[in-house]
Amino acid sequence: MRSWILQRVSAIFIALFVLYLGGFLFLNLPLDYVTWKAWVGLTFNKVVIILFFISVFFHAWVGIRDVIIDYVHSVALRFILLTGVIGILVSMAVWLLIIVQGA
Amino acid sequence: MRTSRPVYLNLLKIKLPVTAILSILHRITGVFMVLSIPLLVYLFEQSLQDPTSFQQLSVIMAHPVARFILALFVWFLAHHLMAGIRFLLMDIDVGVLKPSARASAYLVNYLGLVLLVAALFWAYLL
């Protein structure tokens, strides 16, 4: 139940962010470095981007977990894959934090 | 559980219902997008580092092949998003009955293709 809700709530936030980013891009393409860096540098946007990635993290996790459960029948392999996926997703989240922090 | 029942898995010959096509595309696009996360985070980093890396990235993104992949990605995102909304609506019992479920599946699939064409158009003309 919890993963079901997580997936739906994260989906909604992701959709809203995609619209937000899409709107910005639509108004500012072709992009130049200064505009882009300034937009990402806004504190509000930094927060939103990090929240976006946390949402993607949970959303992707639930999705991939379901796919692995559906197709990988060996419990050992499943465990390894699921652990690997979490590891990679967490690493990506940390990397993104570092990137946004430095912007 | 192992039985000796016959198995027929020739995907090229099985006629899948439109809802099944939508559903498997939803899964495939999802997995593909997750797999592209590391690359996207890297591109994000490159776009912010300094004007030079941004410029290099712009040059790469202007390449026709990169544009094609970008358009494809936009299609994947759009299809996944629209199929997802369809599922969300079904969660609150909207469009659950077979006729409307099939109709909405056709809508999402074809709208997705329309968006793919639009994305390709935009990718090669911007």
Side-chain angles (χ1 to χ4, degrees), chain A residues 48-82:
Chain A
V48 165
I49 287 170
I50 291 174
L51 288 179
F52 163 68
F53 198 81
I54 294 175
S55 303
V56 168
F57 178 105
F58 282 112
H59 190 84
W61 166 245
V62 175
I64 293 291
R65 191 205 59 182
D66 286 352
V67 171
I68 288 175
I69 289 176
D70 276 352
Y71 299 135
V72 180
H73 300 122
S74 146
V75 175
L77 183 57
R78 211 155 62 196
F79 176 78
I80 293 170
L81 284 173
L82 288 173

Side-chain angles (χ1 to χ4, degrees), chain A residues 4 8 15 18 29 31-33 36-37 40 49 53 56 59-60 64 66-67 70-71 89 92 95-96 99-100 103, chain B residues 24 27 30-31 34 37-38 41-42 44-51 53-54 58 77 80-81 87-88 91 122 126:
Chain A
W4 186 86
R8 266 69 178 163
V18 167
L29 282 178
L31 218 51
D32 70 280
Y33 178 70
W36 176 237
K37 193 153 166 97
V40 175
I49 287 170
F53 198 81
V56 168
H59 190 84
I64 293 291
D66 286 352
V67 171
D70 276 352
Y71 299 135
L89 284 175
M92 294 297 108
W95 187 13
L96 203 88
I99 294 171
V100 170
Chain B
I24 191 62
R27 172 164 281 198
V31 171
V34 169
I37 284 178
V41 176
Y42 174 71
F44 183 57
E45 182 182 50
Q46 286 297 104
S47 76
L48 289 167
Q49 211 169 55
D50 55 54
S53 55
F54 183 90
S58 302
L77 179 60
H80 191 88
L81 178 58
F87 285 132
L88 280 178
D91 282 343
W122 168 81
L126 188 74

Side-chain angles (χ1 to χ4, degrees), chain B residues 8-37:
Chain B
Y8 186 78
L9 285 173
N10 186 344
L11 289 173
L12 299 172
K13 292 243 176 80
I14 298 175
K15 184 176 184 292
L16 282 179
V18 63
T19 47
I21 295 176
L22 175 133
S23 184
I24 191 62
L25 276 180
H26 188 231
R27 172 164 281 198
I28 291 172
T29 52
V31 171
F32 183 85
M33 288 195 286
V34 169
L35 291 177
S36 49
I37 284 178

